[in-house]
Amino acid sequence: MYVVNTYEQIERQERELNENHIIILLFVRPTSVGAQEIINEFSYLHHDSREYCSIYAVGYTDDPNEFGYSRKVEGVDGVAWYYSDKEFIDFKEKLGKRIKWRYSGENELIVLQSNIDGKNILNFQNYVAINISEGLRQEYICSYQNFMESLIESSKSEVEASKAINSATRLNIKNVAIESLRSIKRIPAPIEKVIENKIFYKTARNHL
C-alpha cells in the first residue's frame, strides 16, 4: 500500500514494480463517515496485498512537510501519514477528466490493472469503481475488512491464472470485482442485480 497525491507518482511506482497486476485506488477522506475504520486497515492491507495488487491511498503522503495543511493519520507499521483535501481534490478532478469518472463523495475505490508492455503503464480500459459506503448501506458488503480480503484474494487468483497462460494476458477486472462480491455469503440479491446499482458499481462503460 502506498501514499499518493499525483497520477505521475503511481506511474513511477508501477514502472519500478514492473509487474502485471491489479491496482486499487482508494478514495477515503479522514472526515468521511466510516473512514477511520478503513484507515485502521492501511498497515494490514499493505502486507496482505503483496505482489498481487498495488493499493494507493489518494491524497496522502508520508512527508510531513509536503503539504501546507494536512491531517495526520496512522499509516503502514505505525508510520505517520498526512492527508490533504487539496491534493485529494486535485487528483480526483484530474483523474475524472482523464477517464470520465465522477467521484461519489463517499468512501470509494477504483480497480484497474498495470500495463507494463504498453505506452501507458496504467490501463483504465476495463476499470471498475465501487462505492464502499453504498455497499455497506445496501448490505452488499458485510464489512470493509471482509470485502478487501475478498478483493485481494480474487486479485491473487486472477494474476496467477494470467501468469499460467501468458504474462501479457489482459487481466479480467470485472471478474476480480464480481468474484470478490460473490464470495460474501450474506449478499442479499443475485450478483447480476447487485451490479445493476449504478451508485454502488460502475465500469468504464457506464461511468455516468
Side-chain angles (χ1 to χ4, degrees):
M1 185 162 187
Y2 308 96
V3 292
V4 64
N5 50 79
T6 70
Y7 189 87
E8 291 72 25
Q9 285 177 336
I10 300 177
E11 290 184 316
R12 285 196 297 270
Q13 179 65 36
E14 289 303 317
R15 292 198 185 281
E16 287 180 12
L17 293 173
N18 196 37
E19 297 171 343
N20 278 323
H21 59 196
I22 303 300
I23 297 172
I24 298 171
L25 305 182
L26 194 56
F27 295 85
V28 177
R29 295 178 289 114
T31 54
S32 297
V33 175
Q36 191 56 53
E37 181 180 7
I38 295 173
I39 291 169
N40 289 344
E41 298 298 312
F42 279 177
S43 189
Y44 175 79
L45 292 175
H46 171 76
H47 295 291
D48 193 37
S49 54
R50 298 187 302 281
E51 73 269 25
Y52 299 108
C53 62
S54 294
I55 305 175
Y56 293 92
V58 173
Y60 292 80
T61 181
D62 54 6
D63 181 355
N65 300 312
E66 185 171 355
F67 302 150
Y69 169 79
S70 62
R71 186 181 298 269
K72 184 178 177 180
V73 303
E74 185 173 312
V76 172
D77 292 338
V79 173
W81 284 5
Y82 302 86
Y83 167 84
S84 165
D85 278 332
K86 180 182 181 301
E87 301 300 327
F88 181 97
I89 292 167
D90 285 349
F91 186 101
K92 63 99 172 175
E93 287 183 347
K94 290 176 182 176
L95 182 64
K97 291 176 183 177
R98 186 183 292 261
I99 66 170
K100 296 183 174 62
W101 158 81
R102 184 183 301 163
Y103 172 54
S104 67
E106 298 187 296
N107 300 319
E108 184 172 346
L109 59 80
I110 293 178
V111 185
L112 60 143
Q113 74 171 89
S114 59
N115 181 30
I116 61 174
D117 297 317
K119 179 180 178 182
N120 298 315
I121 189 67
L122 304 181
N123 184 347
F124 285 92
Q125 289 184 346
N126 58 345
Y127 80 83
V128 171
I130 292 178
N131 183 324
I132 301 165
S133 301
E134 174 70 3
L136 291 169
R137 273 195 301 272
Q138 300 296 335
E139 298 187 343
Y140 302 153
I141 301 171
C142 56
S143 73
Y144 170 75
Q145 292 90 336
N146 177 252
F147 173 66
M148 290 302 291
E149 192 74 23
S150 298
L151 186 55
I152 290 170
E153 283 301 311
S154 296
S155 299
K156 177 180 177 180
S157 298
E158 181 65 24
V159 169
E160 289 184 340
S162 175
K163 286 181 178 178
I165 301 170
N166 184 331
S167 61
T169 300
R170 177 179 295 179
L171 303 176
N172 190 330
I173 303 300
K174 182 179 179 181
N175 183 61
V176 169
I178 287 179
E179 285 306 312
S180 63
L181 290 169
R182 201 188 302 276
S183 68
I184 301 173
K185 305 303 181 185
R186 62 179 286 186
I187 200 161
I191 193 69
E192 292 77 15
K193 292 292 184 183
V194 169
I195 64 176
E196 287 178 2
N197 181 343
K198 298 303 183 289
I199 298 176
F200 170 64
Y201 183 94
K202 298 178 184 177
T203 68
R205 294 185 178 183
N206 65 5
H207 50 265
L208 298 179

